[in-house]
């Protein structure tokens, strides 16, 4: 079961997405990016879905924070603006996918499924890299692989 963080100041969108995903995934919701940052400090998420236009800290700033501190966590961006230039800019910043409101729930479901697979691939690759680095450190110290 994947863990999702849904961030949107619009309670209708937030509650709809929570209802859509809560039967098959563990879902946490936040109505502000600041609240999402607090959750990210204590929990690891497989996918974050975030609105862009929110009071105070924007979804764009949240995306930057996640890219810097949780690079293996895919971020799906939802926006009330259907501006192609903004969509490209957000994708260039590292967003996994972008949806303009109104969106089809089936499209969001598909994107979340793909993002979960991507997160699992990155997490596995990260573990492999950590294991390789640990093995390399052991070889550097002893000249031979560390026994298991």
């Amino acid at each position: 079961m994947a863990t999702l963080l849904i961030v949107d100041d619009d309670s209708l969108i937030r509650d709809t997405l929570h209802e859509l995903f809560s039967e098959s995934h563990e879902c946490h919701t936040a109505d502000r990016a600041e609240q999402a940052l607090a959750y990210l400090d204590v929990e690891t998420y497989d996918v974050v879905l975030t609105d862009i236009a929110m009071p105070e800290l924007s979804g764009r700033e949240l995306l930057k924070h996640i890219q810097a501190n949780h690079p293996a966590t895919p971020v799906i961006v939802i926006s009330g603006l259907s501006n192609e230039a903004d969509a490209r800019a957000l994708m260039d910043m590292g967003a996994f996918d972008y949806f303009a409101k109104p969106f089809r729930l089936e499209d969001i479901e598909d994107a979340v499924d793909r993002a979960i697979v991507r997160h699992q691939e990155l997490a596995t690759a990260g573990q492999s890299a950590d294991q390789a680095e640990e093995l390399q450190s052991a070889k550097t110290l002893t000249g031979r692989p560390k026994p298991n």
Side-chain angles (χ1 to χ4, degrees), residues 72 117-131:
V117 169
R118 180 69 179 146
H119 181 263
Q120 291 169 342
E121 291 170 350
L122 291 172
T124 301
Q127 288 175 350
S128 297
D130 289 345
Q131 290 168 344

Side-chain angles (χ1 to χ4, degrees), residues 2 4 25 46-47 74 111-121:
L4 311 181
H25 303 293
D46 296 292
V47 181
V112 167
D113 289 343
R114 289 184 292 109
I116 290 168
V117 169
R118 180 69 179 146
H119 181 263
Q120 291 169 342
E121 291 170 350

Side-chain angles (χ1 to χ4, degrees), residues 3-8 14 18 26-49 57 62 65-66 69-70 73:
T3 304
L4 311 181
L5 177 58
I6 301 164
V7 188
D8 200 313
R14 191 175 62 246
H18 182 269
E26 182 177 340
C27 295
H28 299 162
T29 61
D31 62 359
R32 298 177 337 276
E34 295 83 0
Q35 184 181 17
L37 290 174
Y39 286 153
L40 286 160
D41 283 343
V42 296
E43 180 78 42
T44 300
Y45 292 94
D46 296 292
V47 181
V48 175
L49 294 103
L57 193 66
L62 179 59
H65 174 85
I66 293 169
N69 298 289
H70 309 278
T73 302

Side-chain angles (χ1 to χ4, degrees), residues 2-28:
T3 304
L4 311 181
L5 177 58
I6 301 164
V7 188
D8 200 313
D9 60 324
D10 182 335
S11 62
L12 180 61
I13 300 289
R14 191 175 62 246
D15 294 346
T16 299
L17 291 173
H18 182 269
E19 186 175 319
L20 178 66
F21 291 112
S22 62
E23 286 189 28
S24 55
H25 303 293
E26 182 177 340
C27 295
H28 299 162

Side-chain angles (χ1 to χ4, degrees), residues 42-113:
V42 296
E43 180 78 42
T44 300
Y45 292 94
D46 296 292
V47 181
V48 175
L49 294 103
T50 186
D51 186 18
I52 287 299
M54 292 183 285
E56 299 177 36
L57 193 66
S58 73
R60 186 180 302 271
E61 293 300 316
L62 179 59
L63 173 61
K64 286 180 188 176
H65 174 85
I66 293 169
Q67 289 296 304
N69 298 289
H70 309 278
T73 302
V75 178
I76 298 171
V77 175
I78 301 167
S79 177
L81 305 172
S82 60
N83 179 325
E84 191 173 319
D86 280 344
R88 278 211 178 111
L90 290 163
M91 297 297 283
D92 288 345
M93 287 175 59
F96 180 81
D97 211 337
Y98 174 93
F99 292 93
K101 297 175 188 175
F103 50 80
R104 292 174 7 127
L105 293 177
E106 298 83 13
D107 294 338
I108 296 285
E109 283 181 302
D110 179 58
V112 167
D113 289 343

